[in-house]
Amino acid sequence: MQYTHLDWSQCPCWRRTEVYRSRQTTASMKLIILVLCVVLLSLQAEADQVKFGTLCSGNPKNNKRGCDKKYGCGNYGASRGTRKHLGLDIICSDGATVYAPFDVTVTGKAVPYTKDNAINDGVSLTGGGLCFKLFYLKPVKYSGTVKAGQKLGTLLPMQSVYPGITSHIHVQMCDKSDPTKYF
């Protein structure tokens, strides 16, 4: 009997094993590619997240209001007695110009208080995929579009209502979520 070199690739059993291994590798590669795509998309979404441009003359970096002894803190979620602060306060001097942080549509008037006072005014806005409100400003208009960096209005006299407070523009998301990540 003469022995010859065996060609295992011709064996039906071998071929089935290779096909199985190939399918397994293909499925694993598809899973790896899917996971990579999800990670890259989430990173892209985070990178594409809109950031507020300068809101107030005199505060080009949008510095946030800290804490005042009498009036509390300006961060989202700060205590207001029995309630929580649902916005973020950006330092702005009384009478300062308030700017559109990016291209926006002014969708109407928004007021922070049920009782009228010298600072009970503001606007609702959409833009950059966001819906938000700005309080304590006298707006140039209550409807229409405003380009990034153009004047939205003037900060109202906070000192007349809250003497000693760090004057500020209040930014509040329409859904009352935390706006801090946009600054």
Side-chain angles (χ1 to χ4, degrees):
M1 183 172 205
Q2 196 171 28
Y3 291 96
T4 61
H5 175 68
L6 292 174
D7 184 1
W8 287 103
S9 65
Q10 299 305 315
C11 173
C13 224
W14 177 262
R15 278 183 273 172
R16 277 194 298 256
T17 303
E18 285 303 303
V19 167
Y20 173 74
R21 284 185 186 148
S22 174
R23 285 185 186 150
Q24 223 178 6
T25 302
T26 302
S28 295
M29 290 302 288
K30 285 180 180 176
L31 180 60
I32 289 169
I33 290 169
L34 177 65
V35 168
L36 285 172
C37 286
V38 168
V39 168
L40 289 173
L41 285 173
S42 67
L43 289 173
Q44 181 67 36
E46 191 173 306
D48 288 344
Q49 180 172 293
V50 68
K51 292 289 184 190
F52 274 63
T54 299
L55 271 178
C56 188
S57 62
N59 184 5
K61 293 185 179 182
N62 287 333
N63 293 321
K64 298 163 192 74
R65 180 173 80 89
C67 300
D68 298 307
K69 290 179 185 175
K70 189 174 179 183
Y71 301 109
C73 303
N75 61 292
Y76 179 85
S79 177
R80 292 288 187 273
T82 59
R83 62 182 180 85
K84 297 285 182 192
H85 185 233
L86 297 177
L88 177 67
D89 296 341
I90 302 299
I91 297 170
C92 193
S93 299
D94 289 4
T97 299
V98 178
Y99 303 112
F102 36 79
D103 292 351
V104 295
T105 299
V106 182
T107 59
K109 184 174 183 165
V111 295
Y113 307 112
T114 54
K115 292 184 180 180
D116 205 20
N117 63 36
I119 61 172
N120 196 27
D121 205 353
V123 287
S124 293
L125 305 146
T126 59
L130 302 175
C131 176
F132 61 102
K133 299 173 184 180
L134 297 178
F135 294 146
Y136 313 134
L137 79 145
K138 179 64 180 164
V140 172
K141 56 186 173 180
Y142 291 106
S143 66
T145 59
V146 182
K147 293 285 186 191
Q150 289 184 334
K151 184 177 180 176
L152 268 176
T154 304
L155 193 74
L156 292 166
M158 291 204 80
Q159 297 303 313
S160 68
V161 178
Y162 298 112
I165 196 169
T166 301
S167 293
H168 60 275
I169 191 86
H170 175 92
V171 181
Q172 183 171 305
M173 305 309 290
C174 294
D175 65 1
K176 299 185 180 171
S177 63
D178 187 353
T180 307
K181 63 185 172 184
Y182 302 112
F183 286 86

PDB file of all heavy atoms in Angstrom, residues 161-180:
ATOM      1  N   VAL A 161     -34.503  94.926  42.960  1.00  0.00           N
ATOM      2  CA  VAL A 161     -35.354  93.874  43.536  1.00  0.00           C
ATOM      3  C   VAL A 161     -34.578  93.042  44.565  1.00  0.00           C
ATOM      4  O   VAL A 161     -35.122  92.670  45.603  1.00  0.00           O
ATOM      5  CB  VAL A 161     -35.919  92.963  42.420  1.00  0.00           C
ATOM      6  CG1 VAL A 161     -36.758  91.826  43.000  1.00  0.00           C
ATOM      7  CG2 VAL A 161     -36.753  93.784  41.441  1.00  0.00           C
ATOM      8  N   TYR A 162     -33.322  92.767  44.266  1.00  0.00           N
ATOM      9  CA  TYR A 162     -32.467  91.956  45.145  1.00  0.00           C
ATOM     10  C   TYR A 162     -31.178  92.728  45.467  1.00  0.00           C
ATOM     11  O   TYR A 162     -30.121  92.429  44.911  1.00  0.00           O
ATOM     12  CB  TYR A 162     -32.102  90.630  44.476  1.00  0.00           C
ATOM     13  CG  TYR A 162     -33.281  89.744  44.164  1.00  0.00           C
ATOM     14  CD1 TYR A 162     -33.658  89.493  42.845  1.00  0.00           C
ATOM     15  CD2 TYR A 162     -34.008  89.132  45.179  1.00  0.00           C
ATOM     16  CE1 TYR A 162     -34.730  88.663  42.549  1.00  0.00           C
ATOM     17  CE2 TYR A 162     -35.085  88.310  44.893  1.00  0.00           C
ATOM     18  CZ  TYR A 162     -35.435  88.077  43.579  1.00  0.00           C
ATOM     19  OH  TYR A 162     -36.496  87.263  43.287  1.00  0.00           O
ATOM     20  N   PRO A 163     -31.236  93.712  46.346  1.00  0.00           N
ATOM     21  CA  PRO A 163     -30.038  94.513  46.652  1.00  0.00           C
ATOM     22  C   PRO A 163     -28.887  93.640  47.148  1.00  0.00           C
ATOM     23  O   PRO A 163     -29.063  92.805  48.030  1.00  0.00           O
ATOM     24  CB  PRO A 163     -30.508  95.463  47.762  1.00  0.00           C
ATOM     25  CG  PRO A 163     -31.987  95.447  47.714  1.00  0.00           C
ATOM     26  CD  PRO A 163     -32.391  94.112  47.153  1.00  0.00           C
ATOM     27  N   GLY A 164     -27.718  93.813  46.523  1.00  0.00           N
ATOM     28  CA  GLY A 164     -26.529  93.072  46.933  1.00  0.00           C
ATOM     29  C   GLY A 164     -26.297  91.758  46.204  1.00  0.00           C
ATOM     30  O   GLY A 164     -25.234  91.150  46.345  1.00  0.00           O
ATOM     31  N   ILE A 165     -27.271  91.310  45.427  1.00  0.00           N
ATOM     32  CA  ILE A 165     -27.092  90.063  44.681  1.00  0.00           C
ATOM     33  C   ILE A 165     -26.082  90.297  43.552  1.00  0.00           C
ATOM     34  O   ILE A 165     -25.901  91.434  43.107  1.00  0.00           O
ATOM     35  CB  ILE A 165     -28.436  89.553  44.093  1.00  0.00           C
ATOM     36  CG1 ILE A 165     -28.334  88.086  43.673  1.00  0.00           C
ATOM     37  CG2 ILE A 165     -28.894  90.437  42.924  1.00  0.00           C
ATOM     38  CD1 ILE A 165     -29.667  87.438  43.329  1.00  0.00           C
ATOM     39  N   THR A 166     -25.407  89.248  43.107  1.00  0.00           N
ATOM     40  CA  THR A 166     -24.579  89.352  41.915  1.00  0.00           C
ATOM     41  C   THR A 166     -25.549  89.344  40.742  1.00  0.00           C
ATOM     42  O   THR A 166     -26.236  88.342  40.506  1.00  0.00           O
ATOM     43  CB  THR A 166     -23.595  88.167  41.806  1.00  0.00           C
ATOM     44  OG1 THR A 166     -22.767  88.151  42.966  1.00  0.00           O
ATOM     45  CG2 THR A 166     -22.752  88.275  40.547  1.00  0.00           C
ATOM     46  N   SER A 167     -25.655  90.458  40.033  1.00  0.00           N
ATOM     47  CA  SER A 167     -26.604  90.553  38.912  1.00  0.00           C
ATOM     48  C   SER A 167     -26.253  89.498  37.859  1.00  0.00           C
ATOM     49  O   SER A 167     -25.082  89.190  37.633  1.00  0.00           O
ATOM     50  CB  SER A 167     -26.573  91.958  38.313  1.00  0.00           C
ATOM     51  OG  SER A 167     -27.070  92.889  39.245  1.00  0.00           O
ATOM     52  N   HIS A 168     -27.297  88.984  37.219  1.00  0.00           N
ATOM     53  CA  HIS A 168     -27.083  87.850  36.306  1.00  0.00           C
ATOM     54  C   HIS A 168     -28.247  87.680  35.339  1.00  0.00           C
ATOM     55  O   HIS A 168     -29.341  88.177  35.563  1.00  0.00           O
ATOM     56  CB  HIS A 168     -26.897  86.563  37.101  1.00  0.00           C
ATOM     57  CG  HIS A 168     -28.096  86.243  37.965  1.00  0.00           C
ATOM     58  ND1 HIS A 168     -28.253  86.776  39.230  1.00  0.00           N
ATOM     59  CD2 HIS A 168     -29.191  85.482  37.747  1.00  0.00           C
ATOM     60  CE1 HIS A 168     -29.385  86.344  39.752  1.00  0.00           C
ATOM     61  NE2 HIS A 168     -29.994  85.546  38.862  1.00  0.00           N
ATOM     62  N   ILE A 169     -27.972  86.928  34.291  1.00  0.00           N
ATOM     63  CA  ILE A 169     -29.011  86.448  33.378  1.00  0.00           C
ATOM     64  C   ILE A 169     -29.272  85.000  33.791  1.00  0.00           C
ATOM     65  O   ILE A 169     -28.335  84.259  34.072  1.00  0.00           O
ATOM     66  CB  ILE A 169     -28.575  86.591  31.888  1.00  0.00           C
ATOM     67  CG1 ILE A 169     -29.737  86.348  30.939  1.00  0.00           C
ATOM     68  CG2 ILE A 169     -27.441  85.680  31.514  1.00  0.00           C
ATOM     69  CD1 ILE A 169     -30.545  87.575  30.683  1.00  0.00           C
ATOM     70  N   HIS A 170     -30.529  84.626  33.878  1.00  0.00           N
ATOM     71  CA  HIS A 170     -30.905  83.266  34.281  1.00  0.00           C
ATOM     72  C   HIS A 170     -31.208  82.454  33.024  1.00  0.00           C
ATOM     73  O   HIS A 170     -32.035  82.864  32.205  1.00  0.00           O
ATOM     74  CB  HIS A 170     -32.134  83.347  35.190  1.00  0.00           C
ATOM     75  CG  HIS A 170     -32.719  82.030  35.583  1.00  0.00           C
ATOM     76  ND1 HIS A 170     -32.339  81.381  36.739  1.00  0.00           N
ATOM     77  CD2 HIS A 170     -33.653  81.252  34.981  1.00  0.00           C
ATOM     78  CE1 HIS A 170     -33.040  80.248  36.833  1.00  0.00           C
ATOM     79  NE2 HIS A 170     -33.837  80.155  35.774  1.00  0.00           N
ATOM     80  N   VAL A 171     -30.532  81.314  32.859  1.00  0.00           N
ATOM     81  CA  VAL A 171     -30.732  80.423  31.715  1.00  0.00           C
ATOM     82  C   VAL A 171     -31.473  79.188  32.210  1.00  0.00           C
ATOM     83  O   VAL A 171     -30.994  78.500  33.115  1.00  0.00           O
ATOM     84  CB  VAL A 171     -29.381  80.001  31.088  1.00  0.00           C
ATOM     85  CG1 VAL A 171     -29.612  79.101  29.883  1.00  0.00           C
ATOM     86  CG2 VAL A 171     -28.544  81.207  30.724  1.00  0.00           C
ATOM     87  N   GLN A 172     -32.616  78.907  31.613  1.00  0.00           N
ATOM     88  CA  GLN A 172     -33.417  77.754  32.031  1.00  0.00           C
ATOM     89  C   GLN A 172     -33.878  76.983  30.805  1.00  0.00           C
ATOM     90  O   GLN A 172     -34.441  77.564  29.880  1.00  0.00           O
ATOM     91  CB  GLN A 172     -34.615  78.223  32.849  1.00  0.00           C
ATOM     92  CG  GLN A 172     -35.468  77.091  33.391  1.00  0.00           C
ATOM     93  CD  GLN A 172     -36.494  77.609  34.375  1.00  0.00           C
ATOM     94  OE1 GLN A 172     -36.150  78.279  35.347  1.00  0.00           O
ATOM     95  NE2 GLN A 172     -37.756  77.299  34.127  1.00  0.00           N
ATOM     96  N   MET A 173     -33.621  75.683  30.784  1.00  0.00           N
ATOM     97  CA  MET A 173     -34.067  74.847  29.671  1.00  0.00           C
ATOM     98  C   MET A 173     -35.589  74.694  29.752  1.00  0.00           C
ATOM     99  O   MET A 173     -36.161  74.665  30.849  1.00  0.00           O
ATOM    100  CB  MET A 173     -33.394  73.467  29.724  1.00  0.00           C
ATOM    101  CG  MET A 173     -31.865  73.508  29.779  1.00  0.00           C
ATOM    102  SD  MET A 173     -31.092  74.529  28.523  1.00  0.00           S
ATOM    103  CE  MET A 173     -31.422  73.582  27.062  1.00  0.00           C
ATOM    104  N   CYS A 174     -36.237  74.590  28.602  1.00  0.00           N
ATOM    105  CA  CYS A 174     -37.701  74.450  28.577  1.00  0.00           C
ATOM    106  C   CYS A 174     -38.173  73.213  29.330  1.00  0.00           C
ATOM    107  O   CYS A 174     -39.219  73.231  29.965  1.00  0.00           O
ATOM    108  CB  CYS A 174     -38.203  74.406  27.131  1.00  0.00           C
ATOM    109  SG  CYS A 174     -37.948  75.970  26.248  1.00  0.00           S
ATOM    110  N   ASP A 175     -37.365  72.140  29.276  1.00  0.00           N
ATOM    111  CA  ASP A 175     -37.748  70.912  29.989  1.00  0.00           C
ATOM    112  C   ASP A 175     -37.221  70.902  31.426  1.00  0.00           C
ATOM    113  O   ASP A 175     -37.319  69.906  32.117  1.00  0.00           O
ATOM    114  CB  ASP A 175     -37.271  69.677  29.229  1.00  0.00           C
ATOM    115  CG  ASP A 175     -35.755  69.557  29.144  1.00  0.00           C
ATOM    116  OD1 ASP A 175     -35.030  70.420  29.701  1.00  0.00           O
ATOM    117  OD2 ASP A 175     -35.277  68.595  28.514  1.00  0.00           O
ATOM    118  N   LYS A 176     -36.639  72.022  31.866  1.00  0.00           N
ATOM    119  CA  LYS A 176     -36.112  72.216  33.217  1.00  0.00           C
ATOM    120  C   LYS A 176     -34.923  71.314  33.551  1.00  0.00           C
ATOM    121  O   LYS A 176     -34.609  71.098  34.713  1.00  0.00           O
ATOM    122  CB  LYS A 176     -37.223  72.114  34.252  1.00  0.00           C
ATOM    123  CG  LYS A 176     -38.276  73.186  34.038  1.00  0.00           C
ATOM    124  CD  LYS A 176     -39.335  73.211  35.099  1.00  0.00           C
ATOM    125  CE  LYS A 176     -40.320  74.324  34.778  1.00  0.00           C
ATOM    126  NZ  LYS A 176     -41.467  74.294  35.625  1.00  0.00           N
ATOM    127  N   SER A 177     -34.245  70.798  32.521  1.00  0.00           N
ATOM    128  CA  SER A 177     -33.031  70.010  32.742  1.00  0.00           C
ATOM    129  C   SER A 177     -31.856  70.956  32.973  1.00  0.00           C
ATOM    130  O   SER A 177     -31.967  72.174  32.802  1.00  0.00           O
ATOM    131  CB  SER A 177     -32.768  69.108  31.533  1.00  0.00           C
ATOM    132  OG  SER A 177     -32.533  69.867  30.363  1.00  0.00           O
ATOM    133  N   ASP A 178     -30.729  70.421  33.364  1.00  0.00           N
ATOM    134  CA  ASP A 178     -29.547  71.195  33.715  1.00  0.00           C
ATOM    135  C   ASP A 178     -28.859  71.776  32.469  1.00  0.00           C
ATOM    136  O   ASP A 178     -28.387  71.028  31.620  1.00  0.00           O
ATOM    137  CB  ASP A 178     -28.567  70.294  34.471  1.00  0.00           C
ATOM    138  CG  ASP A 178     -27.375  71.031  35.046  1.00  0.00           C
ATOM    139  OD1 ASP A 178     -27.206  72.234  34.766  1.00  0.00           O
ATOM    140  OD2 ASP A 178     -26.606  70.395  35.775  1.00  0.00           O
ATOM    141  N   PRO A 179     -28.759  73.102  32.358  1.00  0.00           N
ATOM    142  CA  PRO A 179     -28.114  73.718  31.204  1.00  0.00           C
ATOM    143  C   PRO A 179     -26.582  73.803  31.297  1.00  0.00           C
ATOM    144  O   PRO A 179     -25.918  74.211  30.350  1.00  0.00           O
ATOM    145  CB  PRO A 179     -28.720  75.119  31.166  1.00  0.00           C
ATOM    146  CG  PRO A 179     -29.018  75.416  32.597  1.00  0.00           C
ATOM    147  CD  PRO A 179     -29.398  74.101  33.225  1.00  0.00           C
ATOM    148  N   THR A 180     -26.008  73.423  32.431  1.00  0.00           N
ATOM    149  CA  THR A 180     -24.580  73.614  32.682  1.00  0.00           C
ATOM    150  C   THR A 180     -23.694  73.019  31.578  1.00  0.00           C
ATOM    151  O   THR A 180     -22.686  73.615  31.217  1.00  0.00           O
ATOM    152  CB  THR A 180     -24.188  73.024  34.054  1.00  0.00           C
ATOM    153  OG1 THR A 180     -25.051  73.575  35.050  1.00  0.00           O
ATOM    154  CG2 THR A 180     -22.748  73.336  34.413  1.00  0.00           C
TER     155      THR A 180
END
